[in-house]
Each structure stands twice: as C-alpha cells, then as structure tokens.
Amino acid sequence: MALSTGHNRVRTAVFISGTGSNLKSLIKFSKSKKSPISVNLIISNNPKAKGLDYAKKFKIKKKVLNLKNKNLSENKLLYILKKNNIEIICLAGFMKILSKNFIKKFKGKILNIHPSILPKYKGLNTHKRALNNKEKYSGCTVHFVNSKLDSGKIILQKKVKIAKNETETSLAKKILVQEHKIYPKAILKVFNL
Ligand code: GRF
C-alpha cells in the first residue's frame, strides 16, 4: 500500500467485539513516531465490548452498530467510515463477518488478525482444535481480508510452541502476547516501512 499524501498518517478504523487488547496495542503503536497510521475510529458490534473503554481513555471516536440487519448496518457503517475519511480498517477480535459488497468497497484495505497459523484453523475455537490435534506449534496471522473467511493474503505470522501441559487459556494468552507484536509489524510491512 502506498502512503497517501504528505506526512499525514493514514486514517484507520479498528473494529472490535470484545476485550480490545489488540486495539490497545494498535493505539499505542499509532502514537509512536514510526507509525504510518492513526486510529481515528473504533467500531463495535457489541455495546458491552470492554475495548470501547479505550475510546474514552484515548479520546477516539466510537460507534456501536449491532449489524443484525447486515445491509442496513453496513450501509450506515460505510457512511460513517466515509464521513470520518477512513482509509484502512483493522479488524481486531471482530466477531462479525462482513459482506462481499462491503469488502469490495474497501478492497485491499482491510486487515485482520487471527489466532492460528493460517491456513490451518480458520474460524472459531482455534486453540481448542490445535490442542485436540496435538499440534506442536500454533500462533497467529495478520492477513488481508477477502470474501472468504480467514483466507486473504497473509502479511505476517508468528509461531509459538505448544507446551506439554498447555491449556486453551494458557495458549490463548501466549498467542495474544505475539498478536500485540505482529499487528503493528504487519502494518509497517503493508506500507513498506
Ligand atoms: C484475538 O485472539 C484475535 O486474534 C481473535 O480474537 C481475540 C481478540 O482479542 N480474533 P482482543 O479483543 O484483541 O483482546
């Protein structure tokens, strides 16, 4: 992706549904000197998402949209993104699937983080499935979003070793630490920095 005009940071929206620890890591990164992005908008489909607290804490605009009526909500969402001059979208623990039409409108401009080494374990319950299959490694992936779930072009991955006594919780925690590192790195990579 080419950086847009001048030295302005690329206006970014982060979509969340829950805790928002990846959102927090992206906000922190966006405030660093080297960041090509600024986080200007937080979108949540869940009014109770803990991550929404970061909007207040960091004085970032937020919008909650339930996305139950997909067409209607996505049109509203597109309007909000346009109004806020959003250029790229980072999905961070966002549990809704965006429509093909929406993705087309932001083609090549939506990134996602997924807690597995894709193409293995697309979808939900990644840690449980990795443990059940007695995998030696798991990890996380940042990828571009296309119309197929967790299948877009991979930007960056990080492997973690699964310990003998690993549980779903311990694995999730271990992987999350790496997620917080690779999402900013993937953004730098996308902008050839
Ligand atoms: C992360 O593991 C992310 O990869 C997955 O959902 C989790 C969200 O965590 N899609 P958080 O809300 O960023 O803390």
Side-chain angles (χ1 to χ4, degrees):
M1 219 181 283
L3 270 175
S4 60
T5 47
H7 300 291
N8 290 338
R9 296 188 187 214
V10 176
R11 293 178 65 83
T12 302
V14 181
F15 287 20
I16 61 165
S17 299
T19 316
S21 68
N22 278 294
L23 164 66
K24 187 181 172 199
S25 99
L26 288 175
I27 295 172
K28 288 246 154 99
F29 167 68
S30 74
K31 293 182 180 298
S32 72
K33 234 180 174 172
K34 61 182 176 194
S35 170
I37 64 157
S38 57
V39 177
N40 300 92
L41 184 64
I42 298 167
I43 299 285
S44 174
N45 65 304
N46 171 13
K48 295 199 177 113
K50 237 189 108 230
L52 284 169
D53 294 349
Y54 293 119
K56 197 167 181 194
K57 185 164 179 207
F58 294 100
K59 298 191 173 62
I60 298 168
K61 198 162 173 180
K62 66 169 184 202
K63 289 273 179 209
V64 177
L65 286 174
N66 75 20
L67 288 158
K68 273 186 186 134
N69 180 335
K70 206 173 240 179
N71 267 338
L72 205 79
S73 313
E74 281 192 349
N75 281 338
K76 197 166 170 194
L77 187 53
L78 284 166
Y79 172 76
I80 293 168
L81 295 170
K82 197 166 181 193
K83 218 174 77 182
N84 286 279
N85 297 311
I86 296 301
E87 291 173 78
I88 70 168
I89 296 171
C90 291
L91 307 182
F94 184 63
M95 302 304 284
K96 286 273 175 186
I97 295 174
L98 297 162
S99 74
K100 277 187 185 149
N101 176 56
F102 183 94
I103 293 167
K104 216 163 73 190
K105 296 230 160 86
F106 269 86
K107 199 163 178 260
K109 309 266 182 193
I110 311 177
L111 278 64
N112 181 40
I113 185 144
H114 183 77
S116 79
I117 295 292
L118 290 172
K120 274 195 167 176
Y121 307 115
K122 296 173 182 174
L124 298 174
N125 301 315
T126 55
H127 307 314
K128 192 180 192 172
R129 288 186 284 148
L131 291 173
N132 284 346
N133 286 345
K134 310 231 173 318
E135 296 283 0
K136 289 199 170 67
Y137 294 90
S138 188
C140 44
T141 304
V142 180
H143 64 95
F144 285 109
V145 171
N146 66 8
S147 57
K148 275 201 200 139
L149 183 69
D150 300 326
S151 299
K153 187 169 178 259
I154 290 169
I155 303 163
L156 209 60
Q157 297 185 299
K158 176 74 185 177
K159 260 197 200 173
V160 308
K161 205 168 190 311
I162 297 182
K164 280 214 176 80
N165 57 351
E166 204 78 76
T167 64
E168 256 185 77
T169 317
S170 66
L171 183 58
K173 232 176 159 176
K174 210 164 158 179
I175 291 178
L176 208 49
V177 172
Q178 297 306 324
E179 291 185 34
H180 300 157
K181 293 184 184 162
I182 70 162
Y183 217 156
K185 277 191 190 160
I187 289 172
L188 288 172
K189 194 172 169 194
V190 162
F191 287 99
N192 300 314
L193 296 171

